[in-house]
Amino acid sequence: VALTGTAGWASFDFGASALRWHVVAAGTGIFASSNRGVSYVAVATDRSQVSQHFERSKNLLIATSETHNRVLYWSGSAGTFFLGMPIGSAPAAKHAMDFAGYLLMMNISGGSSRVIYYAENNNIATDPWTATFEVGSSQDDEITGGITYNTRAYVFTRYTTHQLSHVGGNPDFAVRQIKDWGAVPFTAQKATYGDHGEVVICLGWDKKVRLFDGTDELIISTPTEQNNTLTTTYFDNINEQQINKCHAEVDSLKQLYKLWIVVKPSSEVTHCMNLNLRTGAWFPYRANTIQTAVMAESANSRVLLQVSQAGRVSMVDSGNTDNGQAIDELYDSRHFFGQTPQVVSKHHKLDFYFSPTSSGTIYFQDATNLDRPFGSVRDTVVLD
């Protein structure tokens, strides 16, 4: 299905009290689908065409934006619109985060970009929003988002990571800087990674992907950071001027951390880097111009729904056609050396298995004598 033919900015799987909604910010509006993408209704119409953010606070869905649009909230009732926070109370914020029974508003319009306003999440529409605390950092820095993990919350700036703890009293929160790196806001996701258990995986503003367990971090992007002359998809080639447009989602069905990146010289998302959460292996998707994606549930079934730069909504890896057109699939095998290249065996056997519904032509190419470029097509096999 298409959403007004304009780019999507953010998406959220919102399980309201009566219905479950796939909510998408696209163009200047916010749209909601109660049938997991088959059809949408408009629930807001006055947003800027920039990156938007969604956060759940108890039974309400909160919407903020990068240009400090008025903060909106929605209960998920059919036939209703998002409502605006009362003017003069809740501040216009870029980011919202729900933690320890409070809704936190971060990076405020007209105020310090490091001050956090907060109110109990039962009273967000009536609270005067006068309670604040500040995240310390360099004067040219700003809060770029946050994530809750275990019993604490973590707030990111461009250059630092801060840990929040709920202590009660005045103030209600304790904050301390714990890292000298920050995460790109849409890329921080919780996932179970190999033997490490549940961790936060995120792309930093320094173009490195880290595992973070609240105390220690581990850089896991090293094998794919530099140009290996075989592909343009590597982390050092991210357009640092547009890195804030990178975003990620965890495909819990296939156990992949999917990170969409902006490769130079493009100013929009161009590729998707996939991290196998079981093995730690990276592999790229080319021409993957996806603006936002989220795992969406319906009837106890979950799928990854994505929204393209053209506003088209689709299920990921749900077939071998895209809008009725056949998708070419590429299977790549790198060189293997049992010993040194001088004594490597000439034979390299590959086994492929195809489902009964597979069809089309298989084209085969290889690179011999350790050459980097592939030769011409040698053989073809046609599947009926």
Side-chain angles (χ1 to χ4, degrees):
V1 68
L3 288 174
T4 70
T6 55
W9 307 112
S11 51
F12 196 92
D13 183 43
F14 182 44
S17 56
L19 294 171
R20 193 171 194 95
W21 301 92
H22 179 237
V23 183
V24 180
T28 59
I30 301 177
F31 303 86
S33 170
S34 61
N35 47 24
R36 201 167 62 178
V38 176
S39 60
Y40 288 83
V41 294
V43 288
T45 57
D46 60 348
R47 312 304 279 173
S48 299
Q49 295 194 57
V50 296
S51 294
Q52 306 285 319
H53 302 267
F54 291 121
E55 170 74 342
R56 184 180 184 125
S57 181
K58 203 170 182 180
N59 63 331
L60 298 176
L61 184 61
I62 310 298
T64 60
S65 85
E66 289 287 337
T67 53
H68 297 104
N69 288 146
R70 188 177 177 186
V71 178
L72 303 180
Y73 66 96
W74 187 48
S75 65
S77 300
T80 62
F81 262 53
F82 271 82
L83 298 175
M85 291 288 196
I87 296 176
S89 60
K94 283 188 179 182
H95 307 280
M97 181 169 61
D98 193 81
F99 174 58
Y102 293 87
L103 180 62
L104 283 60
M105 298 287 192
M106 304 180 290
N107 202 328
I108 308 302
S109 172
S112 171
S113 57
R114 300 185 308 277
V115 171
I116 298 178
Y117 288 71
Y118 64 95
E120 291 187 10
N121 55 19
N122 288 318
N123 307 315
I124 60 174
T126 57
D127 195 280
W129 287 87
T130 56
T132 66
F133 64 97
E134 186 169 358
V135 170
S137 188
S138 61
Q139 293 186 2
D140 60 348
D141 205 357
E142 63 175 334
I143 293 175
T144 59
I147 190 170
T148 58
Y149 176 63
N150 291 333
T151 60
R152 292 183 172 89
Y154 297 87
V155 173
F156 304 114
T157 73
R158 291 179 181 271
Y159 311 117
T160 58
T161 296
H162 299 256
Q163 183 187 83
L164 301 187
S165 302
H166 179 241
V167 294
N170 187 18
D172 289 290
F173 297 96
V175 56
R176 65 187 182 96
Q177 180 181 327
I178 59 172
K179 297 295 175 183
D180 287 323
W181 53 265
V184 178
F186 284 108
T187 68
Q189 299 288 337
K190 287 178 283 189
T192 300
Y193 181 80
D195 296 331
H196 294 269
E198 186 182 70
V199 294
V200 174
I201 307 177
C202 57
L203 172 69
W205 295 88
D206 56 3
K207 304 183 185 179
K208 292 176 172 52
V209 179
R210 292 174 171 85
L211 301 182
F212 177 57
D213 65 2
T215 303
D216 297 319
E217 79 271 9
L218 174 67
I219 294 175
I220 58 173
S221 55
T222 303
T224 52
E225 286 177 6
Q226 297 180 351
N227 184 5
N228 63 3
T229 74
L230 296 178
T231 175
T232 59
T233 314
Y234 53 96
F235 288 109
D236 283 352
N237 204 23
I238 292 177
N239 185 345
E240 57 273 1
Q241 302 302 318
Q242 305 294 335
I243 193 173
N244 60 301
K245 294 182 180 179
C246 298
H247 61 94
E249 179 66 6
V250 173
D251 186 339
S252 57
L253 298 180
K254 296 185 176 296
Q255 287 298 295
L256 296 176
Y257 171 78
K258 301 178 71 70
L259 174 62
W260 286 270
I261 59 176
V262 183
V263 170
K264 296 176 181 176
S266 178
S267 60
E268 301 293 340
V269 169
T270 55
H271 296 69
C272 179
M273 291 293 288
N274 299 266
L275 173 65
N276 188 312
L277 297 172
R278 296 186 180 98
T279 66
W282 287 97
F283 60 94
Y285 282 175
R286 296 180 297 172
N288 208 249
T289 57
I290 301 303
Q291 293 285 91
T292 177
V294 70
M295 292 297 296
E297 183 177 332
S298 178
N300 295 322
S301 170
R302 303 189 78 202
V303 297
L304 183 61
L305 286 188
Q306 62 185 16
V307 186
S308 72
Q309 290 168 8
R312 185 168 185 82
V313 182
S314 58
M315 288 187 292
V316 179
D317 296 330
S318 59
N320 56 6
T321 61
D322 181 10
N323 197 20
Q325 300 297 316
I327 300 172
D328 291 335
E329 299 185 26
L330 173 65
Y331 300 91
D332 185 22
S333 175
R334 64 186 66 186
H335 296 297
F336 287 100
F337 302 109
Q339 302 179 48
T340 66
Q342 287 80 6
V343 293
V344 67
S345 170
K346 292 182 179 181
H347 300 286
H348 181 186
K349 182 178 180 180
L350 291 177
D351 295 310
F352 292 102
Y353 299 87
F354 298 92
S355 68
T357 58
S358 299
S359 62
T361 303
I362 302 172
Y363 300 91
F364 175 72
Q365 293 175 285
D366 65 358
T368 58
N369 298 323
L370 308 183
D371 289 338
R372 289 188 181 276
F374 282 87
S376 58
V377 174
R378 292 178 52 195
D379 286 303
T380 58
V381 177
V382 178
L383 299 179
D384 294 333

